[in-house]
Amino acid sequence: MRRKLFMSGVLVACTATIPQWASAYEAGDLIVRMGAATVAPREDSSALSIAGVGAIAGSGAGVDDNTQLGITLTYMLNRNWGLGLLAATPFEHDVDADTGALGLGRVDAASIKHLPPSLTLQYHPLPDNRRFQPYIGAGINYTTFFSESVDSELEAVLGNGDLEMDDSWGLALEMGIDVALDDRWTLNAAIWYLDIDTEATFEFDSGVVLDADVDVDPLVYAVNLAYRF
Ligand code: NI
C-alpha cells in the first residue's frame, strides 16, 4: 500500500513537471545516454573437460552479475530509424566452477573483465511529437575478454594457472524507452539480450588443461539520463 502511494506520488510529480509533448526525433539527432548498466549472465556452460581425460560429470562454470557506467548512443537516420551503440566501462565478473564428480564442490575459479560493444539498427514506431519514445533494435555484439586471472582457491588445488577466454561475435537485441523531461533531456530505460558464447581454457603449471564452452548470453539492463544534441 505504501509502495502504491509512493508510486502514484511519483506519477503525479512526473505528470506535473514533464511537458506533455517533446518534439519528434529527426534525421541527424544524436541522443547520448549515460547511467548504470548491469550485465546479468545466464550461467549456462558445458561440463568442464580435462584435456586427454574427458568431461567431468556434473561440472560447469558460472559468471556473476556486474554493474558499470553505461554509455549508449542513438544516431537518428530519419524519424523512425536510428543506429544504436552500447558501450560501457569494462565489466568485471567472478567466475566460479562446479567441480562435479571431482568432489570439490563449488570453487572460485577466476576473475575476468570484458567489453561487449554492440551496434544495432533501431526502430522507433512512434515518430510524432510525444513524451514517450519506445524503440526496438537488432544488430551485432562483439565481446572481448581480458585480464583473465585464475583464483587462488582453484590454484590451491591445481597449481598456478592461466585462463584464456575467446572473443565472441553474436546477435544483439534491444528494447528501450525514452521519456522526455523537456525537449533535450530524457530519462531512458533499456534492456539488451546479447548472444555471447566463449570457450574458457585453464592451463595449469601442473600440466592439467581444463576447458568449457560457456554461453554467457546475458541480459543487460540500463537506466540512463539522456541528452539530445
Ligand atoms: Ni549463446
Side-chain angles (χ1 to χ4, degrees):
M1 188 60 198
R2 222 184 227 179
R3 192 189 167 87
K4 260 190 190 163
L5 273 178
F6 173 74
M7 288 312 289
S8 24
V10 169
L11 269 178
V12 168
C14 288
T15 315
T17 55
I18 297 175
Q20 200 61 40
W21 306 100
S23 60
Y25 291 158
E26 283 167 19
D29 279 359
L30 179 66
I31 301 137
V32 178
R33 307 181 183 90
M34 283 179 80
T38 299
V39 170
R42 283 188 334 157
E43 298 224 6
D44 191 11
S45 96
S46 70
L48 295 166
S49 175
I50 303 178
V53 179
I56 306 166
S59 67
V63 182
D64 72 348
D65 294 3
N66 188 243
T67 299
Q68 292 292 335
L69 173 68
I71 301 155
T72 65
L73 306 177
T74 292
Y75 179 76
M76 295 305 290
L77 302 169
N78 58 37
R79 285 191 158 205
N80 286 108
W81 294 92
L83 290 175
L85 177 70
L86 165 64
T89 49
F91 292 94
E92 185 166 4
H93 298 269
D94 290 327
V95 180
D96 60 22
D98 200 332
T99 56
L102 279 186
L104 302 171
R106 222 172 164 87
V107 297
D108 291 336
S111 72
I112 55 162
K113 288 186 180 177
H114 74 94
L115 278 173
S118 303
L119 190 64
T120 50
L121 183 63
Q122 295 174 340
Y123 178 65
H124 298 68
L126 307 174
D128 303 326
N129 299 352
R130 60 183 63 242
R131 189 196 300 167
F132 299 101
Q133 288 285 357
Y135 56 90
I136 51 173
I140 192 161
N141 164 264
Y142 169 70
T143 296
T144 182
F145 296 91
F146 56 96
S147 296
E148 300 108 319
S149 90
V150 181
D151 195 275
S152 53
E153 200 175 319
L154 192 59
E155 290 189 324
V157 181
L158 294 168
N160 288 347
D162 284 321
L163 169 62
E164 181 68 40
M165 292 178 80
D166 294 343
D167 293 355
S168 165
W169 289 93
L171 178 72
L173 297 175
E174 74 172 321
M175 223 162 57
I177 185 165
D178 289 329
V179 181
L181 298 174
D182 62 23
D183 223 37
R184 292 285 164 199
W185 292 95
T186 60
L187 292 175
N188 167 266
I191 183 169
W192 290 259
Y193 165 79
L194 305 179
D195 187 14
I196 303 175
D197 300 333
T198 182
E199 183 177 7
T201 306
F202 293 89
E203 280 192 52
F204 296 94
D205 290 352
S206 56
V208 174
V209 177
L210 276 177
D211 65 50
D213 293 321
V214 183
D215 283 358
V216 185
D217 297 352
L219 288 177
V220 181
Y221 309 91
V223 178
N224 295 303
L225 185 62
Y227 187 81
R228 163 158 64 147
F229 291 91

